[in-house]
Amino acid sequence: MRISSPAFEDEGNIPQRYTCDGENLSPALVLEDVPPETVSLVLVMDDPDAPMGTWDHWVAYDIEPLTQIPEAVETLGTAGSNSWGDQGYGGPCPPGGTHRYFFAAYALDRRLGWESGADKTSVLEAIHDHILAEDSLLGFYSRE
């Protein structure tokens, strides 16, 4: 499986429109070679360079198998909680310097069947033995 975005290349800069300095929209994502036996997908976006530890920007689970996630998607599977305590996408917003943002996609052999609001740690623990394929996309964003 491979995750990419038409908005930026792997290890490229995330355009401002997808950040708190712009429109704070989620970028379009493309998933290729999703295993045919996939029952659901999980998507996690986080920033391991945040000063207080890894900051979770987006957690979604029980996503129907798909190959395209549109820009500014309103609903994506079941929304998990991000580090702001909200659900849904929160764009890059580093306090300063350059930060790395990982968009990780997981193809699973099951659904979690949970209500909305689960945090990243709980989701990743629950999917550990059910991952069929995974990939990540790395983007950078800088603020002075």
Side-chain angles (χ1 to χ4, degrees), residues 10 17 25 30 33 39 47 51 81 86 93 95 131 142:
D10 189 33
R17 73 183 272 119
L25 302 173
V30 176
D33 301 321
V39 174
D47 168 8
S81 293
D86 297 327
C93 198
I131 299 171
S142 298

Side-chain angles (χ1 to χ4, degrees), residues 17-48:
R17 73 183 272 119
Y18 305 110
T19 74
C20 69
D21 296 319
E23 297 169 63
N24 208 26
L25 302 173
S26 60
L29 298 170
V30 176
L31 296 169
E32 297 175 90
D33 301 321
V34 175
E37 63 273 24
T38 299
V39 174
S40 73
L41 299 167
V42 167
L43 180 69
V44 172
M45 176 197 169
D46 60 23
D47 168 8

Side-chain angles (χ1 to χ4, degrees), residues 12 25 28 30 32 82 89 97 107 109 114 129:
L25 302 173
V30 176
E32 297 175 90
N82 59 35
Y89 178 83
D109 65 1
W114 295 353
D129 293 331

Side-chain angles (χ1 to χ4, degrees), residues 58-83:
W58 198 9
V59 178
Y61 45 93
D62 287 350
I63 303 165
E64 294 296 323
L66 46 67
T67 58
Q68 305 270 339
I69 298 171
E71 178 182 85
V73 66
E74 292 287 324
T75 304
L76 184 63
T78 302
S81 293
N82 59 35
S83 291

